[in-house]
Amino acid sequence: MATEEAPPQQPEDGSEGLQEDPNASDAHASEPPVPVDVLHVAELGAAVIIPAVTCATPKIAIVTGVARARGIGRGIVTALLRRPEWCVCGADVADPELAMMSRLDAEHAAERFRYVKADLTKIEECRRVVGSALEVFPNAKCISLLVNNAGISNHVRGGTASGVESEAELLEDFQLVINTNLTSAFFMTRACHPHFVEGANIINISSTRARMSEPGSEAYASAKAGLVGLTHSLAVSYHKQARVNCILPGWIDTETDPESKPTPEEHDFHLTGRAGSPADVAQTCLFLLDQGFMTGAEIVLDGGVTRKMIYPESKPTPEEHDFHLTGRAGSPADVAQTCLFLLDQGFMTGAEIVLDGGVTRKMIYPESKPTPE
């Protein structure tokens, strides 16, 4: 059974929704046109242009990677807007899918949301996003939350395992994924830094690919692992100003096409009996907002998949040896050799050595595996 998100909720501030201003056309007639990079909901198919903000003392959140109608970014935006104190600026290099904007409008939260189209791999574009957020929501004056969710998969032209790319294309794709998934997070953080309120939150959306991999995922895994390192580094550097944490989602169902959704077998592959949803990630973000003692931490959100030991069913055959990244199962001699190393190694204590032929670094999903979010 495919995961369904919770139905739309009414705003918690008790408002009855948007009312069209009969004088709206006159009121806006003398105003300059809205810049093309800051898109009001009305320009994307809604009925009216709505006020910049309705809450008196709002908090500003900036969420990147929000263009997809059922993506993780949209789930986070929706969850934040259900809390009436939040105003949200969403940023993405792509145009937003209309379904996303229509859903926000239907939930009566659009007056507290603005979308900025920007290339977040460029520091000047990141500064423009921050400037737009502060301009659109002037009552807030500071940034309270940054969610670095922007990202692409490394299978841009087929990945390294397919043999499709030339060396030049491979290097270009690798740099593109690193820039989009990792460098953009650092740039956005630097752009927000002068404007963070004391006690701000930074949440980086990484992936379980930071810990386990599939063939051809070098760029994606490197970028997502880099976000984990960036998280604890920023937590130390910004400890007097912000808490910084990281979420590592596994299989999150972001598909809008019913034919592409997880099958019952794929749901059952998870220890929770289902794949994740954007609402699961959003709920975790809200937890991190409310949890005042956690910083520099990683939260794995994968339905237990990375805790599920998967081995062939019988004793090692040639195929089962090949299941290991080393090409063979281990032997007692491997363990003995490691013990002798520890006897001779005088500086190591309290440490863990994983000796498994790389199996716990091998991402294993059902054959119809998802594309990384």
Side-chain angles (χ1 to χ4, degrees):
M1 179 182 298
T3 302
E4 295 293 334
E5 293 189 54
Q9 299 179 8
Q10 293 296 322
E12 296 176 8
D13 59 3
S15 62
E16 296 297 323
L18 304 178
Q19 301 295 324
E20 185 169 3
D21 183 357
N23 299 318
S25 58
D26 293 333
H28 292 280
S30 60
E31 295 182 4
V34 178
V36 295
D37 60 314
V38 181
L39 302 178
H40 285 257
V41 176
E43 297 175 293
L44 298 171
V48 293
I49 294 181
I50 46 186
V53 65
T54 58
C55 42
T57 56
K59 298 178 180 179
I60 294 180
I62 297 178
V63 183
T64 68
V66 299
R68 297 181 62 186
R70 191 179 155 76
I72 288 175
R74 191 208 67 93
I76 295 170
V77 168
T78 301
L80 287 170
L81 291 178
R82 286 173 178 164
R83 294 188 171 192
E85 70 271 23
W86 285 99
C87 295
V88 184
C89 177
D92 203 303
V93 71
D95 290 322
E97 295 178 6
L98 288 178
M100 173 198 171
M101 306 304 290
S102 299
R103 174 72 179 273
L104 288 174
D105 186 48
E107 292 177 350
H108 313 303
E111 69 272 17
R112 294 185 284 118
F113 176 76
R114 289 295 182 270
Y115 187 95
V116 181
K117 184 176 179 180
D119 181 355
L120 303 179
T121 66
K122 300 176 180 177
I123 185 64
E124 62 272 15
E125 288 282 275
C126 295
R127 293 186 180 120
R128 183 170 62 82
V129 170
V130 174
S132 296
L134 294 170
E135 181 179 0
V136 171
F137 307 120
N139 292 341
K141 303 185 186 304
C142 297
I143 306 296
S144 296
L145 170 65
L146 170 65
V147 181
N148 288 309
N149 174 64
I152 55 174
S153 120
N154 66 310
H155 300 283
V156 181
R157 280 189 283 250
T160 60
S162 67
V164 171
E165 296 180 304
S166 68
E167 185 71 10
E169 290 172 331
L170 173 61
L171 296 176
E172 180 183 347
D173 284 355
F174 186 92
Q175 195 62 60
L176 174 62
V177 174
I178 295 295
N179 288 344
T180 304
N181 296 18
L182 177 57
T183 307
S184 69
F186 179 66
F187 283 175
M188 279 301 305
T189 303
R190 292 303 304 166
C192 288
H193 180 238
H195 308 284
F196 277 134
V197 68
E198 184 176 351
N201 278 270
I202 303 169
I203 302 175
N204 295 322
I205 307 299
S206 179
S207 168
T208 51
R209 266 72 170 185
R211 298 185 174 183
M212 304 176 75
S213 291
E214 297 168 287
S217 62
E218 289 84 359
Y220 190 81
S222 297
K224 292 301 185 178
L227 282 173
V228 174
L230 182 65
T231 296
H232 59 71
S233 178
L234 290 173
V236 175
S237 298
Y238 289 6
H239 72 278
K240 293 184 178 180
Q241 188 173 17
R243 291 184 295 108
V244 190
N245 293 288
C246 187
I247 301 173
L248 284 68
W251 188 336
I252 304 298
D253 177 17
T254 60
E255 296 293 339
T256 55
D257 180 5
E259 297 297 321
S260 300
K261 286 189 167 294
T263 65
E265 293 76 19
E266 292 163 349
H267 279 296
D268 192 56
F269 182 80
H270 296 75
L271 299 184
T272 53
R274 66 173 178 87
S277 73
D280 291 313
V281 183
Q283 182 185 36
T284 309
C285 288
L286 295 181
F287 162 74
L288 289 172
L289 281 177
D290 298 333
Q291 217 304 323
F293 190 61
M294 184 179 289
T295 191
E298 309 158 25
I299 297 180
V300 175
L301 191 67
D302 71 342
V305 166
T306 54
R307 293 300 187 185
K308 184 176 180 179
M309 181 63 75
I310 303 171
Y311 271 118
E313 294 181 1
S314 60
K315 295 288 184 179
T317 64
E319 293 77 18
E320 291 159 352
H321 278 294
D322 192 56
F323 180 81
H324 297 75
L325 298 183
T326 54
R328 66 173 179 86
S331 70
D334 293 312
V335 182
Q337 181 187 35
T338 308
C339 288
L340 294 177
F341 162 74
L342 290 172
L343 282 175
D344 298 334
Q345 219 302 325
F347 190 61
M348 183 180 292
T349 188
E352 307 166 16
I353 297 179
V354 177
L355 192 66
D356 69 346
V359 168
T360 53
R361 294 299 187 181
K362 184 177 179 180
M363 180 63 76
I364 303 170
Y365 271 120
E367 291 185 1
S368 52
K369 60 183 180 296
T371 301
E373 170 63 14

